[in-house]
Amino acid sequence: MNRTSLSRPRRSLPVVAVAAAAALTLAGCSSAHGGKKAEENAAGVSAGKATTPRMTVAMVTHAPSGDTFWDAIRKGAEAAAAKDNIKLIYSNDENAGSQANLVQNAIDQKVDGIAVTLAKPDALKASVAKAEQAGIPVVGLNAGLAVWKQQGLLSFFGQDESVSGQALGTKINGTGAKHALCVIQAQGDVNLEERCAGVKKTFSGTMDILYVNGTDMPSVKSTITAKLKQDSSIDEVVTLAAPVALTAGQAVSESGSKAKIATFDLNKDLVSAIRNGTIQFAVDQQPYLQGYLAVDALWLYKNNGNFSGGGQQPVLTGPAFVDKSNVDKVAGFAAKGTR
Amino acid sequence: MSMTQQAAPAVTTPPASGPKDRDGRTTQRPLALRLLARPEVGVLLGAVAVFVFFLVSAPAVRDGASMANVLYQSSTIGIMALPVALLMIGGEFDLSAGVGVITSALTASMLSYQLSMNIWVGVIAALVLSLAIGFLNGWLLVKTGLPSFLITLGTFLILQGVNLAVTKLVTGNVATDDIGDMDGFDQAKALFASSFDVGGVTVKITVVWWLVFAALATWVLLRTRYGNWIFAVGGTKESARAVGVPVNFTKISLFMLVGFGAWFIGMHQLFSFNTVQSGEGVGQELIYIAAAVIGGCLLTGGSGSAIGPVFGAFMFGMVQQGIVYAGWNPDWFKAFLGVMLLGATLINLWVSRTATRR
C-alpha cells in the first residue's frame, strides 16, 4: 500500500519537470548571451574515407577519465579511424596493472594493431612483448619515449617532455623572468616531473616546484595563492595543464602578485585567456595529432608496410607554441576540442 | 560561533531537571575536565596547536590575506564536512559526496548552456537533482537495510560514470562550456563565489556561508527535536524507533542534506571557474569524512558536534596551505599532511580519554 502511494508522485515527476522547463522557457528564462545558441558549428576534420578492408585497432592509455587533454587524443584517434575504415577500441586505466590487462584484452580480441602509452613501462613490458609475439604490431604514443625502441614498438608519437620543458625555459628567459614556479597537478607523474626538470635545465633563474591536487580546483587555487604569498619574488608561474593554468590566473590576480603565466596544453578557454593576455603562451604537444598519427601509422603499416620515423626516431608532435601572434589560427580548432 | 552556546548532546543529557537533582557524579569533576569531555574541545586544541605551529614556523601565515586564503580552503571542505558530520552522527556516511559536487556543477552548467537558458534554471535543476540523489541514497538504505558503505559506493561509481558519459554525450567534450557570459551568471556568482573586503583583506563569501551553516547546524543539533532524532538514530536505531523517532525520515533527510551541501559547493566551483571537468571530485569524499572524524564525529555514529568539523576543516586547510607558506620541500607534501593530521587526531583522542577518565 505504502509502495503504490509512493510511486504515483514519482511517476508524474518527469512530466512536471518537462512542463516546468517549458514554462520557464516561455516565461523568458532563456539566456540572451552565451549558451549553445551562440556556439558556432564549424565543420569537423574529414579527409574522405579509405576503401581498404576493415581492420580493428585498440588504443590503450593510462589516462584518467574525464580529462580534456586525453579527450583530444581520443578524438584524433577516432578521426583517423573513421578515415581509414578502422574499428577503434579505446580503453584507459590510470593503474598500470589494469592498463596491462587492457592490452591483454586487446590481444585476446585478436586486433590488427595496438597503440599504447608507456607511462609505466616496466608494468606493461610483458603484455607488449606478448602482443608482438602474437604478431600484432604495436605503436607508442604520448609516454614512453625512452623505452619504445627497447620494447620493440614500430613507431612513437609524442613530445620529448624534457625537450618541450627546455623550450619553455628558453622562452621565459626571453621575457625576463627571474624566479619561476612549476606547478605539478599529479604528484609522482613521470612525464610531469620531466617537464619541470626540462624547464629548470634551460631557465636561467631559480625554479621551485609546487604540488597541487588536480581533482580539486578550489584547493589548486588556494595552494597557488599561498605559494605566491609566501614568496613574492616569483614572477613566472608555469603550469602543465590548461585548467590549472586558468585557475592559476585567478590565483595570481587574487594574491596581488605580478607573476606571468606560461603553460603546457591548450583548450578553448585557454585560447581566450591567451587572446586577452592573462596567459603569455601555451606549449602545445598537439594531443590530437598523437592520437591521429598513432592510428594512422598502424593503417599504413598494414596496407603499405610503412614505419613512421623509420623505426629509428620518434615522431615529435611538440613543442608547438601558441601565443598572441598565432592564437587566432588555432582558436576555431580549440573550440571543437581538437587542438 | 561562541563556545558558550555549546551544550552536551541533548540525547545524553537526562530529561530537563533542576540543578537540585544532582546525583553527585558530574559535579565532583573539575570544570576543566568536564570541558575536555566535549567532542569538539579536543579538535579545538588540535587546531590551535596546528595554527600556532605554522604561525611560528611560517612567517607568511601571519599576514591577513594568508589567513583569508586558509579560511577559503577550509570553507570549501568545511561546508561539505558539516552535512557529512551530521550524517555520521546519524550513523551513516556517504562516499558519493565528492563526485556528487561535480554532478551538481555539471548539471547546472550543461542544462543552462545547452538550452540557452538563464543560469538560475540550471542552478535550481541542479539543486533538485542533488536532493534527489540524496533521497535515493537514503531511500535505498532504509528499504534494503544494506550498509551505507555499499549503497553510496554504488552511487559513487554510478555518478563518476554518468558525469563523464553524459558530459561527453551532451557537449562532445569532457568538460563543460564556459558559461561566464550567460544571463544570471553575475547574480549567481555574487551568491556562491564572490568576495568582499574586510580591512584590506579579501575574504571569500564561502567563509561566511560556512560559519552560517555551522551555526545553523549547531542550533539544529542541540536545540531542536530533529537534532535529538539525529543522535538517536545514530546511537541505537531500534530503541530510537521504539520511542517514536521517525528513523527512516531522519536518515533519508540527512542524505538529502549532504546533497544540499554538494549542490552548494558544486555551484561555488562552477561560478568561480566557469567550466567544470567531468573527472574532478574523486577522492574529495574522504577529505570531508576525515574533517568530520578529526572534528570528533565517531565513525560508528551517535556522537559528535557541528562545531567540531568546523575546526576539523580548518585544521585540514591550515595544514594544506601551511606547508606551502612554510616553503618546505614539496616532495614531502602528502607525508607532512598525513603526519600532522594523525598527530592532531591523536591529541584529540588523548584529550577526550583523559577528560573522561575519573
Side-chain angles (χ1 to χ4, degrees):
Chain A
M1 263 205 321
N2 205 4
R3 225 169 269 163
T4 47
S5 65
L6 255 176
S7 67
R8 204 169 298 141
R10 265 187 296 135
R11 209 172 287 147
S12 61
L13 203 69
V15 183
V16 174
V18 169
L24 285 169
T25 318
L26 290 173
C29 271
S30 50
S31 176
H33 307 284
K36 188 82 181 166
K37 275 184 203 159
E39 190 181 317
E40 289 178 356
N41 264 328
V45 177
S46 172
K49 197 172 176 182
T51 53
T52 47
R54 186 127 174 109
M55 61 185 276
T56 308
V57 165
M59 179 174 276
V60 185
T61 73
H62 67 282
S65 293
D67 183 276
T68 48
F69 174 84
W70 288 94
D71 195 40
I73 288 196
R74 187 174 174 182
K75 279 188 176 151
E78 277 165 357
K83 184 202 71 173
D84 293 339
N85 193 22
I86 287 173
K87 181 188 168 200
L88 180 76
I89 304 168
Y90 180 89
S91 56
N92 62 307
D93 203 306
E94 276 176 279
N95 179 294
S98 311
Q99 198 199 346
N101 279 344
L102 290 171
V103 173
Q104 181 59 48
N105 183 316
I107 298 170
D108 296 343
Q109 293 188 59
K110 298 194 168 55
V111 296
D112 300 300
I114 297 175
V116 68
T117 62
L118 300 175
K120 282 154 190 155
D122 292 335
L124 283 147
K125 203 171 179 178
S127 316
V128 167
K130 239 182 187 171
E132 283 156 356
Q133 274 160 27
I136 301 171
V138 184
V139 297
L141 72 149
N142 185 265
L145 187 81
V147 295
W148 70 276
K149 236 197 285 181
Q150 295 158 26
Q151 297 205 0
L153 270 52
L154 284 183
S155 312
F156 182 85
F157 307 91
Q159 77 174 351
D160 185 322
E161 300 291 358
S162 178
V163 166
S164 61
Q166 291 174 38
L168 187 137
T170 313
K171 187 143 175 152
I172 54 176
N173 278 340
T175 63
K178 295 277 177 287
H179 188 174
L181 179 71
C182 201
V183 182
I184 295 182
Q185 74 273 17
Q187 189 166 12
D189 186 311
V190 181
N191 280 356
L192 302 183
E193 299 277 355
E194 256 181 57
R195 261 183 225 175
C196 284
V199 176
K200 194 167 188 172
K201 215 170 182 178
T202 52
F203 181 52
S204 52
T206 50
M207 193 196 86
D208 294 335
I209 285 178
L210 179 70
Y211 293 103
V212 296
N213 175 10
T215 60
D216 181 23
M217 277 305 161
S219 118
V220 169
K221 181 159 133 188
S222 47
T223 307
I224 297 175
T225 308
K227 185 66 191 178
L228 293 172
K229 278 270 167 215
Q230 183 252 329
D231 194 336
S232 54
S233 70
I234 293 169
D235 53 7
E236 183 80 47
V237 178
V238 177
T239 60
L240 310 182
V244 179
L246 294 161
T247 305
Q250 295 191 4
V252 166
S253 68
E254 277 175 24
S255 63
S257 162
K258 296 263 185 297
K260 290 170 181 155
I261 302 163
T263 186
F264 291 83
D265 282 8
L266 196 65
N267 68 20
K268 69 174 170 186
D269 296 331
L270 197 64
V271 164
S272 24
I274 291 174
R275 255 193 198 137
N276 68 29
T278 324
I279 286 165
Q280 284 176 298
F281 63 88
V283 179
D284 186 13
Q285 63 168 310
Q286 307 194 84
Y288 183 88
L289 190 61
Q290 291 177 3
Y292 189 94
L293 291 180
V295 171
D296 208 31
L298 287 163
W299 178 81
L300 282 167
Y301 178 72
K302 177 154 177 137
N303 291 290
N304 206 34
N306 290 127
F307 296 82
S308 302
Q312 299 297 317
Q313 293 294 321
V315 179
L316 296 187
T317 58
F321 285 103
V322 177
D323 56 18
K324 243 182 180 166
S325 67
N326 64 351
V327 67
D328 290 327
K329 279 182 206 151
V330 300
F333 307 123
K336 284 183 299 169
T338 60
R339 256 314 282 276
Chain B
M1 297 307 1
S2 70
M3 297 295 299
T4 50
Q5 287 181 349
Q6 297 299 309
V11 85
T12 56
T13 27
S17 52
K20 285 167 193 162
D21 284 340
R22 284 174 189 153
D23 60 4
R25 274 182 297 183
T26 52
T27 46
Q28 279 167 6
R29 300 173 58 223
L31 178 75
L33 277 187
R34 270 185 290 140
L35 262 177
L36 283 174
R38 289 190 179 149
E40 60 274 5
V41 173
V43 65
L44 171 68
L45 293 181
V48 168
V50 166
F51 180 61
V52 170
F53 176 77
F54 281 111
L55 218 52
V56 172
S57 55
V61 171
R62 292 168 214 157
D63 186 25
S66 304
M67 219 48 242
N69 189 35
V70 168
L71 285 176
Y72 167 59
Q73 166 83 66
S74 311
S75 69
T76 60
I77 298 169
I79 289 176
M80 265 310 261
L82 277 171
V84 166
L86 293 190
L87 180 68
M88 211 177 277
I89 296 170
E92 311 291 340
F93 65 95
D94 189 346
L95 290 177
S96 68
V99 287
V101 169
I102 303 301
T103 304
S104 209
L106 290 171
T107 307
S109 169
M110 287 192 293
L111 202 83
S112 313
Y113 187 86
Q114 298 298 327
L115 303 177
S116 298
M117 287 211 273
N118 192 298
I119 291 292
W120 286 100
V121 177
V123 172
I124 302 299
L127 174 62
V128 172
L129 183 83
S130 284
L131 292 176
I133 292 169
F135 176 83
L136 191 76
N137 272 334
W139 183 77
L140 282 172
L141 183 97
V142 299
K143 284 293 161 190
T144 62
L146 287 169
S148 53
F149 181 90
L150 278 180
I151 305 263
T152 59
L153 182 64
T155 335
F156 164 73
L157 293 170
I158 293 169
L159 291 182
Q160 208 186 336
V162 167
N163 280 358
L164 176 59
V166 172
T167 309
K168 182 111 194 213
L169 210 64
V170 171
T171 68
N173 297 307
V174 292
T176 60
D177 300 278
D178 190 340
I179 54 162
D181 57 349
M182 293 182 67
D183 289 358
F185 183 87
D186 294 334
Q187 300 157 356
K189 191 179 173 89
L191 181 66
F192 294 110
S194 59
S195 46
F196 56 93
D197 272 17
V198 178
V201 174
T202 311
V203 179
K204 287 279 160 51
I205 190 107
T206 47
V207 177
V208 175
W209 285 119
W210 178 37
L211 299 179
V212 168
F213 288 149
L216 207 64
T218 301
W219 176 75
V220 166
L221 212 48
L222 300 178
R223 291 278 179 268
T224 67
R225 194 157 53 146
Y226 183 68
N228 279 347
W229 291 350
I230 297 176
F231 281 109
V233 298
T236 38
K237 198 168 72 180
E238 291 319 314
S239 343
R241 206 188 298 273
V243 296
V245 172
V247 173
N248 290 1
F249 166 80
T250 310
K251 295 224 169 189
I252 292 176
S253 60
L254 283 173
F255 274 104
M256 290 174 76
L257 213 57
V258 175
F260 176 83
W263 168 75
F264 199 90
I265 288 298
M267 292 310 105
H268 168 68
Q269 293 210 18
L270 179 60
F271 293 109
S272 24
F273 303 109
N274 300 13
T275 62
V276 196
Q277 276 200 108
S278 57
E280 285 173 32
V282 178
Q284 285 303 105
E285 63 282 345
L286 295 179
I287 290 178
Y288 303 141
I289 292 174
V293 171
I294 293 167
C297 297
L298 289 183
L299 269 172
T300 46
S303 171
S305 68
I307 200 79
V310 171
F311 296 122
F314 173 75
M315 210 144 90
F316 232 101
M318 187 69 243
V319 173
Q320 218 168 4
Q321 304 306 323
I323 288 167
V324 180
Y325 282 124
W328 291 339
N329 181 352
D331 292 348
W332 293 91
F333 189 93
K334 291 264 167 71
F336 278 135
L337 200 64
V339 168
M340 302 279 318
L341 290 177
L342 210 54
T345 319
L346 286 174
I347 292 178
N348 189 1
L349 189 74
W350 174 78
V351 164
S352 61
R353 280 210 183 137
T354 320
T356 44
R357 197 184 296 136
R358 285 202 286 148

